[in-house]
Amino acid sequence: VTVYLVGAGPGDPGLITVKGLELVRTCEVLVYDRLIAAELVDEAPRGAMRIARDHLDQAAIDELLVRLGCRGLRVVRLKGGDPFVFGRGGEEALALARAGVAFEIVPGVSSISAVPASAGIPITHRGVSSQVTVVAGHDPDALDLDALAACPGTLVVFMGLKALPELVQGLLAAGRAPDTPAAVISRGSTPAAETVVADLAAIADAARSLAAPALVVVGDVVALSSVLGGNVESTSIEYAAAI
Amino acid sequence: VTVYLVGAGPGDPGLITVKGLELVRTCEVLVYDRLIAAELVDEAPRGAMRIARDHLDQAAIDELLVRLGCRGLRVVRLKGGDPFVFGRGGEEALALARAGVAFEIVPGVSSISAVPASAGIPITHRGVSSQVTVVAGHDPDALDLDALAACPGTLVVFMGLKALPELVQGLLAAGRAPDTPAAVISRGSTPAAETVVADLAAIADAARSLAAPALVVVGDVVALSSVLGGNVESTSIEYAAAI
């Protein structure tokens, strides 16, 4: 194996896997995303080449990985979260497979569950939610909001902060109850994390000052954050209402 | 903090987080699930108390954690996958919160994405799937199969092996295309892993000999396994058909 596609986890450098950290510590080339913790980049060997992907588009990354892999270098491609959850890791893997370069996927802790957990929200909970629907929210027009509004359980939206007002409007128009508990967690699992909890009808306003990246969670499990969330700022949700 | 609810990841002991392993190595009591790798249990300090939860029901576990926590012991509750994804970690956290015992959630790599990844299946992939629906499949009667059949993107079913024939029948009856690519991954991310890939209409038969625990994946992303999956046994899916 020459190229490892490694998930770094949701932010906290301690949440990389043991295997992922070992690979970073023994790589010859580290190609890493903008949001990777500096502590993890610093774990690469002193002599390793470090390449920040900041100014490379996806095609350039794919080509870079193929080129490095063809030279037989031990490459770690370190990606935020999990490589296969809205991480475009599949495209990088495909490019490597098509070029005949050996590769391995090393999964990471995805934000799907870890970021809500950091705010005291279990995405599943017996008697409250046994279904989770995960979507990308940067383009609400691409979503079937009627179907999403009807999904039972928990809705988790990646990249949903910018278009949150449209997203919420669409869910309400499609019949989702205005008092459904909702949360926005900004920069979850980092020291800069901020969480806002409110009714669905009020969440877009309540989250207006938050910064990307952020995860949106909609569903009755959010109400558990008032008990499990420690110091989460909660505007209007009563724990007793949903459980 | 006295009680840590720690996700051990999907099976491979190298997929525990760095933080999780550090906690195991410094605990006074380790309470662990049946499917936890022996290598991880062995990482607990020589003098630590090790409690296998095999014969305890959930209420007994909750009570045990509260009792240990009240004594101020440094307890690690090591759970398969992620504590908050069908892991009943929320119930344990609630019991601790209600008893006033300090606790912390340490997320783990969930099977949601890691087990499909081990078979070369990215659960999201640009142009193929940007939505993932996750359900528990042990009781298909509890599911809205009409709604599930209509969900775009990828369907991931936990605990779906035993009732797979009913589940498939329900999805087909609700209009899901019989040639939708599907996979069952048994004991994913362990040395005993086995994967079967087939059309939805054929998957229950194809997976008949597989052992639990298993994850079921339905959707066009499954077709990528023929290119990304290495040595995955594929019965009838053509990569070109779906991509």
Side-chain angles (χ1 to χ4, degrees):
Chain A
V1 175
T2 58
V3 180
Y4 297 87
L5 303 178
V6 178
D12 178 345
L15 294 182
I16 192 172
T17 62
V18 170
K19 188 172 182 178
L21 183 57
E22 279 171 9
L23 290 168
V24 170
R25 285 179 171 163
T26 55
C27 72
E28 294 173 296
V29 186
L30 180 70
V31 182
Y32 62 97
D33 284 343
R34 189 167 56 85
L35 294 171
I36 299 297
E39 293 91 327
L40 291 181
V41 177
D42 288 345
E43 291 280 354
R46 191 177 274 268
M49 192 188 312
R50 290 171 174 76
I51 304 176
R53 74 144 285 181
D54 294 41
H55 303 292
L56 300 174
D57 64 15
Q58 190 60 48
I61 283 279
D62 295 352
E63 198 191 308
L64 174 68
L65 294 178
V66 167
R67 221 169 51 226
L68 294 167
C70 283
R71 288 171 53 191
L73 291 166
R74 192 175 165 88
V75 180
V76 168
R77 168 74 177 107
L78 194 58
K79 301 170 74 70
D82 181 86
F84 278 178
V85 179
F86 299 119
R88 304 190 71 170
E91 292 166 69
E92 296 172 13
L94 262 187
L96 293 164
R98 284 174 175 150
V101 176
F103 66 93
E104 188 179 324
I105 310 288
V106 181
V109 172
S110 169
S111 299
I112 290 180
S113 169
V115 166
S118 72
I121 302 167
I123 56 170
T124 70
H125 193 80
R126 200 173 182 81
V128 180
S129 168
S130 60
Q131 179 167 333
V132 184
T133 306
V134 187
V135 298
H138 55 287
D139 178 13
D141 292 341
L143 297 172
D144 181 346
L145 290 168
D146 288 332
L148 282 183
C151 278
T154 309
L155 173 63
V156 175
V157 185
F158 282 67
M159 298 166 275
L161 187 61
K162 203 170 164 193
L164 189 57
E166 293 104 288
L167 193 70
V168 167
Q169 206 42 58
L171 290 172
L172 294 172
R176 191 90 192 208
D179 63 349
T180 307
V184 178
I185 305 134
S186 163
R187 296 181 284 203
S189 170
T190 78
E194 278 185 90
T195 300
V196 169
V197 172
D199 288 346
L200 181 59
I203 191 70
D205 253 4
R208 221 166 10 180
S209 66
L210 295 191
L215 198 78
V216 180
V217 187
V218 179
D220 287 340
V221 288
V222 171
L224 288 161
S225 68
S226 65
V227 178
L228 303 181
N231 42 15
V232 170
E233 175 201 342
S234 177
T235 56
S236 61
I237 305 287
E238 280 302 310
Y239 161 68
I243 308 303
Chain B
V1 175
T2 58
V3 180
Y4 296 88
L5 305 178
V6 178
D12 177 346
L15 294 181
I16 192 172
T17 63
V18 170
K19 187 171 183 180
L21 182 58
E22 280 171 9
L23 290 167
V24 170
R25 284 180 172 163
T26 55
C27 72
E28 294 173 295
V29 185
L30 180 70
V31 182
Y32 61 97
D33 284 342
R34 190 168 55 86
L35 293 171
I36 299 297
E39 293 92 326
L40 291 180
V41 177
D42 289 345
E43 291 282 353
R46 191 177 275 267
M49 192 188 313
R50 290 170 173 77
I51 304 176
R53 73 145 282 181
D54 294 42
H55 303 291
L56 300 174
D57 64 14
Q58 189 61 48
I61 283 278
D62 295 352
E63 199 193 307
L64 174 69
L65 294 177
V66 167
R67 224 171 48 228
L68 294 167
C70 283
R71 288 169 54 190
L73 291 165
R74 191 174 165 87
V75 180
V76 168
R77 168 72 176 108
L78 194 59
K79 302 171 72 72
D82 181 87
F84 277 180
V85 179
F86 299 119
R88 306 189 68 170
E91 291 165 68
E92 297 172 13
L94 262 187
L96 293 164
R98 284 174 176 153
V101 176
F103 67 93
E104 186 179 325
I105 309 288
V106 181
V109 172
S110 169
S111 298
I112 289 181
S113 170
V115 166
S118 71
I121 302 168
I123 57 170
T124 69
H125 192 81
R126 202 174 181 79
V128 180
S129 168
S130 61
Q131 180 166 331
V132 184
T133 306
V134 186
V135 298
H138 54 288
D139 178 12
D141 292 342
L143 297 171
D144 181 346
L145 290 169
D146 288 333
L148 282 184
C151 278
T154 309
L155 174 63
V156 175
V157 185
F158 281 66
M159 299 166 275
L161 187 61
K162 203 170 163 194
L164 189 57
E166 294 103 287
L167 193 71
V168 167
Q169 206 42 57
L171 291 172
L172 294 172
R176 191 89 191 212
D179 63 349
T180 307
V184 178
I185 304 134
S186 163
R187 296 181 283 202
S189 173
T190 78
E194 277 186 273
T195 299
V196 167
V197 173
D199 288 346
L200 180 59
I203 191 69
D205 254 4
R208 221 167 8 179
S209 66
L210 295 190
L215 198 79
V216 179
V217 187
V218 179
D220 288 340
V221 289
V222 171
L224 288 160
S225 68
S226 65
V227 178
L228 303 180
N231 44 13
V232 170
E233 175 201 344
S234 177
T235 57
S236 61
I237 305 288
E238 281 301 309
Y239 162 67
I243 309 302

